[in-house]
Amino acid sequence: MKAIRYHRYGSPDVLGLEDVDVPVVGDEDVLVKVMAAAVNPLDVHFMRGTPYVLRTRAGLFRPSTGGMGGDLAGRVEAVGRKVTRFKTGDEVFGGRAAAPVERSAAFAEYASLHQDGMVRRKPVNLTFEQAASVPVAAVTALQALRDKGRVRSGDRVLVNGAAGGVGTFAVQLAKAYGAEVTGVCGTGNVELVRSIGADHVVDHTRDDVTRAGRRYDLMVDMAGNHTLSAIRGVLTPKGVLVAVGGPVKGRWIGPVTGPLKMLALSRVVSQTLAPMLAHRSGDDLVVLRELIEAGKVTPVIDRTYPLSAVPDAIRHLEEGHARGKVVIIT
C-alpha cells in the first residue's frame, strides 16, 4: 500500500510517499480502508520533533516510527477473530493514540485500529471527508466545553480562534449546549463564524475583545494571543479560561511553562484558569455522532489534498490561516 513516511525530523520536505506492507490485523483489531484523513497541529510537532520534550515519546534523535496522521474515516476491510463491535463493510471514523503508531497511522491507504479504541460508526449524514475532520478537533472542543468549562445553558462563552479546526466545533457545540457565543476571528472569517451559529463575532484585526467591556462565563482560547491579566479582565469573577494549544514558544519545554503559570495563578484567584490536553475517547465520538446526526454540528473543511500532497497540506496548516479542517483524500 501507499503511505506517508518520514525517517528524520524536519520540514515537510522530510515526508515521502512510500510502498509499505498493509498493517497486520490483531485478534481485536479492525483493518480500515482509509478514505480520508485530517491534518492536525500535533502532526506538525511530531514531524519537526519540537518542542524537544515531545521526543521522549517520539524518539530522541530520529522518529521511532515513520507513520503520520491521527484522524481518519473509511470502511472496514477485515476484522480480527475476536472483534464483535464491527463487521466488514462498516463505515467508521476515529483515529490512533496521540503518539505515532505506524500500523494505525492515517496518512496511508490502510490502518489497523483496536476495536475498543478511538473508532466508532461514522455519522450517516457525513461524507468520509467530513467525518475524518471530526475526531481530534471536535473531541477537544467537546472536552474543553463540557469537562473543563462545565458549560451550561445561558452561559456567555467566548471562543478565541473561532475559525480554526477546534474553534469551528467549539462555536457549534457551545450553541448546542444553549450558550450565548461570541467568536473571535480575522476579517476574512467573520461571515463563516457567524454562519456556524455565533451570536456575536469580533474581528481581532479591528477590535480587541479584552477591551470591549463584556464579561464571559467561559473562554475557550486556541489563539493564545492575550496575557493572562487581559484574559482575566474579560471573565466574570467565577469565570473559566480553558486554554487549548496556542503558540508554542521555545524548542525545549515551550508547552509546559504557560500551563504551569495558569495552574499557579488559579490557586490564588477566584477564576479558574485551566490548560487542556484532550484525551482520546470513543465514547465522545458517539456523543459527537449523535449531535452531528441531529444537525447540531457540521464540520467545516478548508481544503482537501491527495495523499501524495501531504507535505503541501502540512505547509498550509503551518501558515496558520486554515478555515476549519485540512483533509487528505486517499
Side-chain angles (χ1 to χ4, degrees):
M1 70 170 186
K2 297 290 186 180
I4 293 293
R5 292 290 186 263
Y6 70 121
H7 306 286
R8 58 188 175 90
Y9 296 119
S11 73
D13 294 334
V14 305
L15 305 178
L17 187 64
E18 301 180 6
D19 290 306
V20 300
D21 293 334
V22 173
V24 173
V25 183
D27 287 346
E28 298 183 5
D29 293 342
V30 293
L31 180 67
V32 177
K33 173 66 176 75
V34 180
M35 305 301 292
V39 182
N40 290 290
L42 190 59
D43 299 317
V44 178
H45 292 308
F46 278 120
M47 177 192 73
R48 292 191 175 274
T50 57
Y52 293 143
V53 66
L54 179 145
R55 297 193 186 193
T56 59
R57 300 166 59 195
L60 290 178
F61 303 107
R62 62 176 54 194
S64 57
T65 177
M68 281 194 69
D71 286 351
L72 60 81
R75 290 191 181 91
V76 175
E77 289 282 307
V79 299
R81 64 185 183 88
K82 294 183 179 180
V83 171
T84 58
R85 189 186 293 272
F86 303 101
K87 65 182 185 301
T88 301
D90 284 348
E91 296 184 350
V92 298
F93 73 140
R96 57 162 168 75
V101 179
E102 197 162 280
R103 71 184 182 88
S104 56
F107 298 159
E109 292 180 318
Y110 292 90
S112 180
L113 305 171
H114 193 281
Q115 68 164 342
D116 294 327
M118 185 76 168
V119 58
R120 293 294 187 271
R121 180 176 58 81
K122 179 180 78 67
V124 296
N125 56 336
L126 293 190
T127 65
F128 286 113
E129 291 85 354
Q130 290 174 310
S133 73
V134 171
V136 165
V139 166
T140 298
L142 177 65
Q143 293 176 4
L145 290 160
R146 182 196 62 195
D147 303 340
K148 289 285 189 177
R150 299 191 180 278
V151 66
R152 296 173 297 180
S153 180
D155 279 354
R156 289 166 294 177
V157 174
L158 178 65
V159 179
N160 190 29
V166 175
T168 50
F169 284 112
V171 169
Q172 296 177 77
L173 287 167
K175 288 298 297 180
Y177 276 103
E180 177 187 330
V181 181
T182 298
V184 182
C185 61
T187 305
N189 294 321
V190 168
E191 291 306 316
L192 166 66
V193 174
R194 185 174 288 117
S195 74
I196 59 175
D199 299 287
H200 314 284
V201 184
V202 176
D203 180 349
H204 70 77
T205 68
R206 298 180 179 181
D207 300 295
D208 184 344
V209 72
T210 66
R211 298 181 179 181
R214 291 177 58 87
R215 296 292 179 266
Y216 301 90
D217 302 293
L218 169 61
M219 176 179 180
V220 181
D221 183 20
M222 276 70 63
N225 58 345
H226 296 290
T227 65
L228 285 179
S229 175
I231 289 172
R232 289 190 59 221
V234 303
L235 295 177
T236 59
K238 295 293 184 180
V240 179
L241 162 68
V242 181
V244 181
V248 176
K249 298 178 181 179
R251 291 177 175 269
W252 291 90
I253 57 171
V256 177
T257 54
L260 288 177
K261 290 179 182 178
M262 289 181 206
L263 293 172
L265 184 58
S266 193
R267 290 176 176 270
V268 297
V269 298
S270 63
Q271 296 154 328
T272 300
L273 311 174
M276 185 198 165
L277 183 63
H279 62 273
R280 292 295 180 109
S281 169
D283 290 340
D284 281 349
L285 283 182
V286 175
V287 172
L288 290 164
R289 183 181 69 208
E290 292 172 350
L291 289 167
I292 290 167
E293 291 182 342
K296 295 182 178 180
V297 175
T298 301
V300 175
I301 296 178
D302 176 68
R303 61 182 67 178
T304 61
Y305 293 83
L307 183 61
S308 59
V310 165
D312 293 329
I314 295 284
R315 290 186 186 97
H316 177 60
L317 187 70
E318 284 192 294
E319 290 173 358
H321 301 300
R323 295 156 48 96
K325 296 293 294 180
V326 177
V327 174
I328 305 301
I329 299 175
T330 57

